[in-house]
Amino acid sequence: MTRAYNFCAGPATLPAEVLQQAQEEMLDWRGTGMSVMEMSHRSDEFVAIAQTAEQDLRELAGISDDYAVLFMQGGASSQFATVPLNLMRGKSPADYVNTGIWSKKAIAEARRFGEVNVAASSEEQGFTTVPDQASWKTNPEAAYLHYTPNETIGGLEYDFIPDSGDVPLVADMSSSMLSRPLDISKFGLIYAGAQKNIGPSGLVVVIIRKDLLGHAQSGTPTMLDYKVIADNDSMYNTPATYSWYLAGLVFKWLKAQGGVAAMGEINKRKADKLYGYIDNSDFYANPIEPRFRSWMNVPFTLADDSLNSAFLKGAEERFLLNLKGHRTVGGMRASIYNAMPEAGVDALIDYMKAFEKERAGHE
Ligand SMILES: *Cc1c(COP(=O)(O)O)cnc(C)c1O
C-alpha cells in the first residue's frame, strides 16, 4: 500500500491513524455488529458517538457553555445564507470584510437577504494583504461583522482577531479551525466546513453564542434555523452520521497530539520551512505580505509558467498529489492542514529543490 502526501485544499488529507481506526471499526463498531454508517441516529450508540465528538471539540477549542455547537449539513457555502437569515435580526447593515474569493462569495450571498456594508477590502491589492483595522468602515449598529480568517484560495491569513466591539463577530473558519489556539469568547459565531481540517465533507460545524439563537427572520427554512438545530441536538432530521463519527475520531487524534497548542507549533514550523525555502529561492515565489501568509494553504508560482505541468507530473511520480493551484490563481498550492505530517512538507521541499536544480540551469 502506498500512502501519498495529498496537498489537496479540500476534501483534504486525513490522519492515517484515523482512517485505520475507521477501517477496523467499519463492519462492526465495538461489538454492535453494525457499521456506524448503518446505525440509527437516534440509537444510544450513535448518540454517544455524537456527544463524545461534541465534548472533545469543546475541550479542544475551549468552547464554554455560553455557546451551542451544531453539526449541520450543506457545507460552509450554505452558511453564507444561514448566517444572515439568523443574525440580521432586523438590524442593518451587516458588515463584511473582503479579503478573497471566499469573502466575496459570503458577501454576494448575504446581499440576497439584507443590506451589506463592505467595511474594508484588499481586492485592489490582489488580496495579498489584510486591510489595517484602523481603516475599516464598520458600523456600530451593524447586525454582525463577518470575516474570513483564512482565505483558502489566496493563501491569506489574519494574524489578529478583529475587534468588533458589541457587534457579534462572525468567522468562516473552514480552513483554519483547530489549526492553532483561538479565544472563542471573542466570537458570536464561527462556522467551518469539515473537509479541510475536521473530517470528511458533508458536515459543517457551527459554534454560536446562545443569545444569538432564536432570531431567524420569518420565512427562514426550518432546517436553517439555528435554534431548531440547537434544540434538537443537531438531529432535527438525519444528520451526516458517518462524517460526524469521523470528525469525532479526528478530535480524539488531535487530543492525542497535544491539542491545538501543539498543532499550532507544528503548523507554524511546517509553514515557516516552506515559505523559508520559497523566499530563499529565485525559482519559486509567493505574493502574500509575509505577516499574513497562511499556515494552512501555501500558493506558489514557478519562475516559468510553462514548467507547471512538468512540475506537477514529477510531483505525482513521487506521490506528492494535488499541488495544482486554484484555477482562478494559477501556479501551485500546497495545503498543509493539521493532518499533513511534517515529513510531507519535507518531501515537498526536497522535490522543489531537485526540480529547481534540474530546470533552473536549463533556462
Ligand atoms: C472550502 C471553503 C468554503 C466552502 O466550503 P463548502 O463546504 O464546499 O461549501 C467556504 N469558505 C472557506 C474559507 C473555505 O475554505
Side-chain angles (χ1 to χ4, degrees), residues 75-77 80 102 148 150 152 172 174-175 195-196:
S77 299
F80 294 164
W102 289 118
T148 311
N150 184 65
T152 321
D172 173 2
S174 294
S175 50
Q195 67 275 18
K196 279 59 183 261

Side-chain angles (χ1 to χ4, degrees), residues 92 96 123 166 198 250 258 273 306 334:
S92 186
Y96 278 72
E123 189 156 16
D166 291 333
I198 291 178
V250 171
K273 263 189 201 177
S306 71

Side-chain angles (χ1 to χ4, degrees), residues 45-259:
E45 289 84 1
F46 187 76
V47 169
I49 288 170
Q51 285 175 349
T52 304
E54 177 179 334
Q55 204 44 50
D56 285 335
L57 175 59
R58 282 182 180 276
E59 268 176 52
L60 273 170
I63 304 168
S64 78
D65 285 342
D66 296 340
Y67 291 81
V69 177
L70 314 178
F71 291 80
M72 297 177 71
Q73 298 189 49
S77 299
S78 69
Q79 294 300 314
F80 294 164
T82 313
V83 165
L85 280 168
N86 284 267
L87 263 51
M88 287 273 192
R89 295 168 294 151
K91 293 175 180 241
S92 186
D95 286 339
Y96 278 72
V97 182
N98 179 18
T99 49
I101 289 170
W102 289 118
S103 303
K104 284 183 78 153
K105 289 205 165 171
I107 289 165
E109 189 71 0
R111 285 206 163 113
R112 307 179 65 219
F113 304 100
E115 195 199 328
V116 166
N117 167 45
V118 178
S121 172
S122 59
E123 189 156 16
E124 277 180 23
Q125 289 80 40
F127 297 129
T128 54
T129 188
V130 173
D132 184 359
Q133 214 199 328
S135 71
W136 295 12
K137 300 208 164 33
T138 48
N139 189 319
E141 301 299 315
Y144 58 88
L145 169 63
H146 179 285
Y147 80 117
T148 311
N150 184 65
E151 289 281 0
T152 321
I153 293 171
L156 179 80
E157 186 166 9
Y158 284 65
D159 67 347
F160 63 95
I161 297 176
D163 179 4
S164 63
D166 291 333
V167 171
L169 183 62
V170 176
D172 173 2
M173 294 218 180
S174 294
S175 50
S176 50
M177 190 71 204
L178 301 174
S179 64
R180 61 169 94 180
L182 181 76
D183 182 356
I184 300 281
S185 72
K186 295 219 156 55
F187 295 85
L189 188 150
I190 291 168
Y191 60 95
Q195 67 275 18
K196 279 59 183 261
N197 230 356
I198 291 178
S201 60
L203 182 71
V204 53
V205 172
V206 177
I207 302 163
I208 178 171
R209 219 175 55 215
K210 285 177 180 166
D211 62 281
L212 295 171
L213 294 167
H215 301 286
Q217 72 181 50
S218 79
T220 298
T222 308
M223 281 296 299
L224 301 187
D225 183 336
Y226 290 132
K227 184 166 188 333
V228 173
I229 305 303
D231 286 349
N232 289 279
D233 298 325
S234 304
M235 297 199 197
Y236 177 81
N237 76 331
T238 317
T241 52
Y242 198 75
S243 297
W244 194 336
Y245 153 75
L246 217 80
L249 297 186
V250 171
F251 299 151
K252 286 267 186 254
W253 178 83
L254 282 171
K255 286 172 82 175
Q257 310 305 303

